[in-house]
Amino acid sequence: MSLFTYKQRNTINLVIIIALGCLIAYSLQGIFGSILSTLVMFTIMRPGYIYLVEQKKLNKSFTAILLILISIVVIILPFYALSSMVIQKINELQNDHLYFQHILIKLKRLVPLGTDAQNLLQEGLKKSGTWATELFPSLISGAFNIILGLLLMYFLLYFMLVQHEQFEAALVKYAPFRAQNAQRFALEMRNTTYANVLGQGFIALVQGSLVSISFYVLGYSDPVFWGVITTFISFVPILGPPVIFVPAALLQIADGHNAAGWGMLIFGFVVIINIDNVIRFMIAKRVGNIHPIITVIGVVIGIPLFGILGLVFGPLLLSYFILLIKIYETSAMASERLERIKTISEAEEL
């Protein structure tokens, strides 16, 4: 005969489950980025997978593998190729000490700088280059971790797609809220993911392309490189593109190229900045929008955790957190109403 009552056994089991869950979560912290990437990729691929399997009657395994191969070609390979290009360019700039001296000479033509200010600015430029190099993943230095993370992500993604019905049913079953709130969370999660990943990604790509084209037309050096940098930085709203085109334009003016400098400033603030608002409005009408405050704070949270991917995953995590709070508030209000109705019914019976 057991020494514990039924309630005590359940309590002990719950404590053991929580302890083991915390231990497992702690052990998985190194691959948290891969798990989050899997959820994002599943959310994006799910409509296409269901369409191909249910409408086109394709084999489940074949469809999952096909979508995975497409994602590798469209997303993974270009991203790491561009990252390698950025790292190589930054290393070249860091090793070229005359480059920073030329920038300081040009800046002194615009604004008089003392010796201390020059040393501070030069040191800041070098440190920003080092920080940017560490931010972008290197295929050479971190090859093992990158490959391991990708293999894990696609391994999980394959089974989540092939067994998506069981996976979604389990989420609804074990979710800590009612079925209707679980469905609401899934819908909001999908819209948030689309708005942040696809929507913001499209905005960043357009702004980076516009900067690259304008640099090329106006005769700036390395237009492709600076367009790529702008694409990454454009994930931070408002702050992004001006960080690139304003200093570049000022340096052109300092060199005496007034037409190229002022042309870039006018085009940047009139077209490149405002295209963000136009596209963001179109996205908001279709799938919702992410508030700029959430994006900025999410970037601050995400970059230390995920590196350059934190530009996407940081705001996404913060959006999911806020969404869970809203669902909790809805459930709490519903519980209060039910409790109030129950109390009133009991009082009327008395």
Side-chain angles (χ1 to χ4, degrees):
M1 186 175 180
S2 176
L3 296 175
F4 304 101
T5 64
Y6 177 78
K7 185 176 181 180
Q8 289 173 336
R9 287 199 299 270
N10 284 341
T11 302
I12 294 172
N13 286 335
L14 180 60
V15 171
I16 294 174
I17 290 172
I18 293 174
L20 289 177
C22 292
L23 179 61
I24 293 172
Y26 177 78
S27 302
L28 294 177
Q29 61 179 338
I31 60 171
F32 181 69
S34 297
I35 296 174
L36 182 59
S37 301
T38 305
L39 292 174
V40 172
M41 295 291 284
F42 173 77
T43 304
I44 294 173
M45 291 183 178
R46 181 181 179 276
Y49 175 84
I50 293 176
Y51 172 78
L52 292 175
V53 170
E54 296 184 358
Q55 301 294 327
K56 298 300 181 180
K57 306 300 180 182
L58 295 181
N59 180 268
K60 291 184 177 181
S61 298
F62 172 79
T63 304
I65 294 173
L66 177 63
L67 292 176
I68 287 173
L69 291 176
I70 291 174
S71 72
I72 292 174
V73 173
V74 174
I75 301 175
I76 305 300
L77 294 182
F79 175 78
Y80 284 109
L82 294 175
S83 297
S84 298
M85 182 189 75
V86 171
I87 292 172
Q88 182 180 0
K89 187 64 178 180
I90 291 174
N91 287 331
E92 290 178 5
L93 296 179
Q94 283 183 306
N95 295 328
D96 185 4
H97 301 290
L98 295 178
Y99 177 82
F100 296 105
Q101 293 179 5
H102 290 158
I103 290 180
L104 291 174
I105 292 172
K106 293 176 182 179
L107 288 175
K108 282 194 293 184
R109 294 175 186 173
L110 292 174
V111 181
L113 295 174
T115 305
D116 293 338
Q118 292 181 31
N119 295 334
L120 182 63
L121 184 58
Q122 188 169 1
E123 187 67 22
L125 289 172
K126 291 181 179 180
K127 287 185 176 180
S128 63
T130 302
W131 176 78
T133 305
E134 294 174 351
L135 187 62
F136 286 88
S138 172
L139 286 176
I140 299 175
S141 61
F144 177 78
N145 291 332
I146 292 172
I147 293 174
L148 180 62
L150 289 175
L151 287 175
L152 177 62
M153 181 187 75
Y154 282 122
F155 175 79
L156 296 174
L157 181 61
Y158 171 81
F159 287 103
M160 285 176 66
L161 288 172
V162 173
Q163 302 177 355
H164 72 95
E165 295 175 348
Q166 297 93 316
F167 172 72
E168 293 167 7
L171 287 180
V172 173
K173 179 179 179 181
Y174 294 105
F177 28 73
R178 294 181 297 174
Q180 61 185 29
N181 283 334
Q183 293 175 356
R184 176 192 168 193
F185 176 75
L187 179 62
E188 293 291 338
M189 179 179 174
R190 185 200 67 181
N191 292 340
T192 300
T193 303
Y194 283 3
N196 209 320
V197 179
L198 299 181
Q200 188 59 43
F202 180 68
I203 292 172
L205 186 61
V206 170
Q207 290 184 319
S209 300
L210 289 175
V211 168
S212 183
I213 293 171
S214 58
F215 272 29
Y216 175 77
V217 172
L218 295 173
Y220 287 52
S221 61
D222 298 322
V224 175
F225 169 75
W226 292 114
V228 172
I229 294 295
T230 303
T231 300
F232 285 113
I233 296 179
S234 293
F235 276 93
V236 183
I238 301 174
L239 177 65
V243 172
I244 301 299
F245 71 74
V246 169
L250 293 178
L251 291 175
Q252 289 290 321
I253 295 173
D255 275 343
H257 303 143
N258 292 329
W262 286 109
M264 186 67 245
L265 287 175
I266 293 171
F267 182 76
F269 283 108
V270 173
V271 178
I272 297 177
I273 294 297
N274 289 315
I275 200 71
D276 183 326
N277 298 326
V278 174
I279 300 176
R280 197 178 296 277
F281 176 75
M282 296 168 59
I283 293 170
K285 291 180 65 176
R286 296 293 300 274
V287 295
N289 197 6
I290 305 297
H291 197 280
I293 294 178
I294 295 177
T295 302
V296 173
I297 297 177
V299 167
V300 174
I301 295 171
I303 286 180
L305 291 174
F306 307 109
I308 192 66
L309 294 178
L311 292 171
V312 177
F313 290 160
L316 210 55
L317 273 180
L318 190 57
S319 299
Y320 292 165
F321 176 71
I322 293 174
L323 177 58
L324 285 172
I325 292 176
K326 291 179 179 179
I327 291 177
Y328 172 78
E329 289 177 345
T330 302
S331 299
M333 291 174 62
S335 298
E336 289 179 1
R337 284 196 298 268
L338 290 174
E339 189 65 28
R340 195 178 303 115
I341 293 171
K342 182 180 178 181
T343 303
I344 294 172
S345 299
E346 292 177 349
E348 289 177 350
E349 290 178 359
L350 294 176

